[in-house]
Structure formats: structure tokens, C-alpha cells
Amino acid sequence: MSADVNLGGDVEIKWVEVPEAQDIWEGDIVDAAVDGEQVIIVHHLDGSYDAFQGLCPHQEVLLADGKWDEESCVIACPGHLWEFDMKKGDGINPKGSTLYRYPVKEEGGVVHVGIPQDGEAHYTKSYES
């Protein structure tokens, strides 16, 4: 199970199975379209999972195509090398940029990502350069 994701109030969550994440090794990442949203799923070395928006908030480049370091848990976007901590979704370079974090759970080897049913875009955008 991922760390707590605060969605506030009474937001309904739709749990969607992610077949692309079923067999990823610890320390690996995978991207998937989940209920119409681009998501990157991280299977951490400690066995836990996290899920974030799959597109860089800078220019919407697919993060899974970037340089991934499983030891430091940092991904660098292939577009302009923006870096993100894939434990929290926080921007490292530049600071202040963040990734939208989805709830994620694994049960019996099956990974599910929670898509909030709130009518909102689940994506953060940053215009820093």
C-alpha cells in the first residue's frame, strides 16, 4: 500500500486494476493509461508502491522514458531533465514543482490505482523553466 494520499472529504475513489504493474520488479517503474489518465507506478525496493501523474508538469513528456535511479528513487524527465523524488512526488530540480499522487494498493500481486471521482484534472502543471 502507498503512503496516505489525502483526497479530502467525501471524494469517491474508483479502484482500477493496472495489468502493466502486475509483474514489475522491486526497484522498477511502469507507465500505464489508467481510466483515461497517464500514470507512472513505482515498485520501491522495500516492496511498497506509489503512483503519480505520468507526464512531466513542465512540458508533458512521458516520465517513464526518463533516467530512473532506483537507489535514490529519483527520476529525471527526458525532456529537460527535471528531477522528481518518486517517494513523495516532490520536485528536486526545480524545487516547488510536484507530481499529482494517486492512491495505490496491491493485494495478492494485483496492483490497483485509485482514481478520484471528483470531476477534476489529476495533473499538476508548472510553467517554470
Side-chain angles (χ1 to χ4, degrees), residues 25-71:
W25 293 78
E26 290 178 358
D28 209 354
I29 60 172
V30 67
D31 66 304
V34 180
D35 203 37
E37 302 195 24
Q38 192 65 43
V39 177
I40 188 169
I41 298 146
V42 182
H43 191 180
H44 296 291
L45 292 172
D46 66 6
S48 65
Y49 289 86
D50 277 304
F52 300 97
Q53 73 187 55
L55 299 175
C56 182
H58 181 218
Q59 291 189 340
E60 301 180 355
V61 175
L62 191 63
L63 288 171
D65 289 341
K67 183 178 180 207
W68 167 239
D69 183 330
E70 68 274 5
E71 294 294 325

Side-chain angles (χ1 to χ4, degrees), residues 52 83-99:
F52 300 97
E83 295 179 313
F84 297 93
D85 173 335
M86 296 305 283
K87 278 279 194 185
K88 299 179 182 178
D90 294 339
I92 296 170
N93 180 26
K95 289 187 182 283
S97 182
T98 61
L99 300 175

